[in-house]
Amino acid sequence: MELRQLKYFVAVARNLSFSEASRRLFVTQGAISQQIKLLEDELGSPLFTRSSHKVALTEAGQELLPLAEKTLKEAEDCKVHISDLRKMLAGSLNIGLTHSFAELMNDTVKEFLKKYPNVNLKVHYETASELFDMLDRGEVDLILAFKPARYREDIVSEELFEARLSAVMRKDHPLAGKASLTINDLGKHGMILPGAGLQSRKTFERFVNIDTTNFNVRVELNEPNIILDFIESSNLFSILSSLAVYYRPNLIAIPLEHIDSRMKGCVHWLKDSYRKKSAEAFVELLQDSAKIRRLMMK
């Protein structure tokens, strides 16, 4: 059984498509089919059912998938570990982050690329739930996101700063002069509701039942930067992290009354997984960046 065969098997299993696996791996479809056939012959069991319209995992394929993913992850960790032992900061570093962290990253990314030119840095912008799935699958080395409400024993979260869930609006909005806001205050004005996958939406829903009787929801969006663009060009407000307004001078974030809305910005690692030296170097640069130090002082 070869690592190449397991790699091809996982690609097909995750996409349920030989053609899509071929496209993602830059390998011909025929080569993938041949290697998987050799793997099936060695194991003595088919791994996929194939028809003209779809591909599905057999029971044996379902059993093999998590084992194959674990084997590939351990093999990659071994390769990276040896490279690190030779003090060669090279290879690739995959970082996942939510859009709220985008502005915090800019200076650190520039500094990292300057300091470690041999590292191929890949940055993935997704929702928090999608990023944690990618971390589980070994597709990213670390995540930058707010700490989720649900505790996970297999995740180590290292706090960078603390923000608060707030009502974000233009500085000339009718509510902008208030020091804090109640749910009743918000219900009188047009709202942009963050999409269901965003951490601000999840945090808000821990305290408030969002329905049309409480809020005048005019639009729902799942991209924070587009939400902020809408707010800047309208009289609508939204519920976002106070972090959002640090880079938007025309906006203001007003805290919500009777809600413990603290949001902890963290670096998340997969517990007991090998940490690349390049990943640790990146986090050190991030922690030392002026933007993070400024947030820690607030």
Side-chain angles (χ1 to χ4, degrees):
M1 186 183 303
E2 300 178 6
L3 288 176
R4 177 178 55 171
Q5 294 171 343
L6 294 180
K7 181 179 180 181
Y8 291 175
F9 163 72
V10 169
V12 176
R14 281 300 174 195
N15 294 282
L16 292 179
S17 167
F18 281 79
S19 60
E20 180 63 18
S22 171
R23 188 185 70 81
R24 288 175 177 266
L25 295 175
F26 302 101
V27 178
T28 66
Q29 191 169 331
I32 291 178
S33 296
Q34 180 185 31
Q35 291 300 318
I36 288 181
K37 179 64 168 60
L38 291 173
L39 180 60
E40 290 177 323
D41 289 344
E42 182 177 349
L43 295 174
S45 177
L47 300 173
F48 298 99
T49 58
R50 305 162 175 86
S51 71
S52 58
H53 299 294
K54 69 176 183 177
V55 174
L57 283 166
T58 64
E59 184 177 2
Q62 293 173 356
E63 289 292 323
L64 178 61
L65 180 57
L67 299 175
E69 289 181 321
K70 182 180 179 182
T71 299
L72 291 172
K73 179 66 168 60
E74 289 175 346
E76 179 62 24
D77 283 350
C78 181
K79 184 168 66 174
V80 172
H81 197 167
I82 296 301
S83 176
D84 281 348
L85 286 175
R86 294 169 60 193
K87 300 188 183 217
M88 293 174 59
L89 271 174
S92 63
L93 174 60
N94 290 275
I95 296 175
L97 66 151
T98 59
H99 290 272
S100 299
F101 284 68
E103 289 289 342
L104 292 177
M105 288 273 292
N106 291 345
D107 294 343
T108 301
V109 167
K110 293 175 184 176
E111 180 68 17
F112 183 85
L113 293 176
K114 179 180 177 181
K115 197 167 184 179
Y116 305 105
N118 295 324
V119 177
N120 180 21
L121 181 62
K122 299 177 183 178
V123 181
H124 307 263
Y125 292 91
E126 302 289 351
T127 64
S129 58
E130 290 169 326
L131 289 174
F132 279 105
D133 287 342
M134 293 177 71
L135 187 64
D136 288 337
R137 297 193 297 265
E139 296 173 0
V140 292
D141 299 300
L142 61 97
I143 293 174
L144 296 171
F146 288 111
K147 191 173 184 178
R150 184 172 62 87
Y151 173 72
R152 283 186 50 172
E153 292 185 353
D154 60 333
I155 298 293
V156 176
S157 301
E158 299 174 355
E159 184 177 343
L160 289 171
F161 62 88
E162 186 174 278
R164 287 192 175 274
L165 192 68
S166 304
V168 174
M169 62 195 68
R170 286 190 347 191
K171 289 184 175 179
D172 60 353
H173 191 280
L175 296 175
K178 291 181 173 287
S180 61
L181 294 168
T182 66
I183 298 303
N184 289 335
D185 291 330
L186 299 178
K188 302 170 186 175
H189 299 271
M191 177 185 189
I192 302 175
L193 183 64
L198 298 182
Q199 193 65 30
S200 55
R201 169 75 171 267
K202 294 179 180 179
T203 302
F204 195 47
E205 287 182 334
R206 285 166 48 200
F207 304 100
V208 176
N209 178 28
I210 299 176
D211 58 43
T212 54
T213 61
N214 291 330
F215 300 99
N216 179 18
V217 177
R218 304 298 304 279
V219 62
E220 182 173 345
L221 287 167
N222 65 354
E223 214 295 323
N225 288 320
I226 297 179
I227 293 176
L228 294 170
D229 290 342
F230 265 80
I231 294 173
E232 286 189 326
S233 61
S234 70
N235 214 26
L236 302 175
F237 77 93
S238 189
I239 301 297
L240 297 168
S241 158
S242 56
L243 176 66
V245 304
Y246 291 165
Y247 317 104
R248 302 271 182 154
N250 297 326
L251 304 183
I252 188 172
I254 303 178
L256 306 175
E257 293 183 11
H258 312 304
I259 291 179
D260 180 12
S261 57
R262 287 173 291 182
M263 301 176 69
K264 298 182 184 296
C266 297
V267 180
H268 305 279
W269 310 85
L270 199 59
K271 191 175 182 180
D272 298 328
S273 180
Y274 179 71
R275 296 186 184 183
K276 295 179 181 178
K277 296 296 183 186
S278 56
E280 294 180 337
F282 185 90
V283 171
E284 287 178 7
L285 288 176
L286 182 64
Q287 291 171 328
D288 197 44
S289 69
K291 289 179 179 178
I292 291 294
R293 290 202 306 271
R294 190 159 57 247
L295 286 172
M296 292 175 66
M297 294 172 61
K298 289 185 176 291

